Amino acid sequence: NAGVTQTPKFQVLKTGQSMTLQCAQDMNHNSMYWYRQDPGMGLRLIYYSASEGTTDKGEVPNGYNVSRLNKREFSLRLESAAPSQTSVYFCASSEAWGSAGNTIYFGEGSWLTVV
Amino acid sequence: SQELEQSPQSLIVQEGKNLTINCTSSKTLYGLYWYKQKYGEGLIFLMMLQKGGEEKSHEKITAKLDEKKQQSSLHITASQPSHAGIYLCGADFASGTYKYIFGTGTRLKVLA
């Protein structure tokens, strides 16, 4: 019953360092997402991949890059981390983007602190 | 998101009490989704509502969607400490471009 698995769970970075958050889903979903969650701001979409081979910007894409490696995996990269990127990051997946009844399933989150 | 308002922002109740959380949209939505979040456990999907007037229940949690598909309520009967956490509503819309957004959450604490 893995569902959506993301790693690492916790990470501390120094300003300017780079890192990649990994995500994999085993539900054969077409669409995958990266969100960040900040106090008072709720969940905000960083990037999404509606289907394998496509990626699109969400609400807050600046400072991030993504790669849809295959149908299962969707990674998020911080090229030069900034303190403003301190947040909890959630990977998620759903059967399809853009269709009614599109339930999104989430991973357990990655707590990232940039000092 | 301001397009999806949740209320109240936080709630403290005594164990055994009933409570209601609301989620309101200014637009007609495709679907309304309820999630529960506990620290370190990510968001757990609870229920999806699509039809106006629809009501679903899971154990002691009941969610309803109004006829106009703009407001949903989540009702917990006889609350328990295990119900504590953050409840988030999410909704998708199709006015123009497809969009999926979340409310800012309701933090629930249940006192034993």
Side-chain angles (χ1 to χ4, degrees), chain B residues 4-105:
Chain B
L4 206 58
E5 297 282 347
Q6 265 187 259
S7 63
Q9 288 188 350
S10 64
L11 198 51
I12 303 173
V13 300
Q14 202 68 40
E15 183 178 1
K17 296 294 185 186
N18 302 336
L19 62 107
T20 300
I21 298 168
N22 294 301
C23 180
T24 303
S25 168
S26 56
K27 304 174 186 177
T28 302
L29 41 85
Y30 258 171
L32 190 290
Y33 311 82
W34 282 102
Y35 295 85
K36 180 185 175 185
Q37 183 179 19
K38 282 195 165 183
Y39 183 78
E41 294 183 15
L43 281 78
I44 300 166
F45 169 69
L46 295 175
M47 282 175 273
M48 175 185 73
L49 303 164
Q50 272 192 279
K51 299 176 184 176
E54 188 175 9
E55 179 175 321
K56 286 186 178 178
S57 293
H58 175 67
E59 297 178 343
K60 293 184 178 180
I61 301 176
T62 300
K64 300 178 186 179
L65 183 62
D66 74 336
E67 291 289 345
K68 289 170 64 177
K69 294 177 65 174
Q70 287 186 267
Q71 184 168 23
S72 178
S73 60
L74 185 84
H75 184 78
I76 299 177
T77 303
S79 58
Q80 299 169 349
S82 60
H83 287 128
I86 300 172
Y87 289 84
L88 279 156
C89 64
D92 51 0
F93 305 86
S95 53
T97 305
Y98 179 76
K99 199 173 182 182
Y100 194 122
I101 59 174
F102 290 87
T104 51

Side-chain angles (χ1 to χ4, degrees), chain A residues 29-80:
Chain A
H29 283 167
N30 289 302
S31 303
M32 297 186 73
Y33 314 83
W34 277 106
Y35 286 89
R36 59 177 289 172
Q37 186 180 41
D38 303 288
M41 305 290 285
L43 281 163
R44 292 182 292 169
L45 183 64
I46 304 170
Y47 270 93
Y48 68 98
S49 170
S51 60
E52 186 180 356
T54 69
T55 59
D56 284 287
K57 295 178 181 179
E59 189 182 348
V60 288
N62 291 344
Y64 304 95
N65 284 303
V66 290
S67 294
R68 183 75 183 266
L69 305 169
N70 48 55
K71 191 172 185 179
R72 287 187 65 247
E73 299 172 287
F74 188 39
S75 62
L76 178 73
R77 183 160 178 84
L78 287 70
E79 291 290 351
S80 179

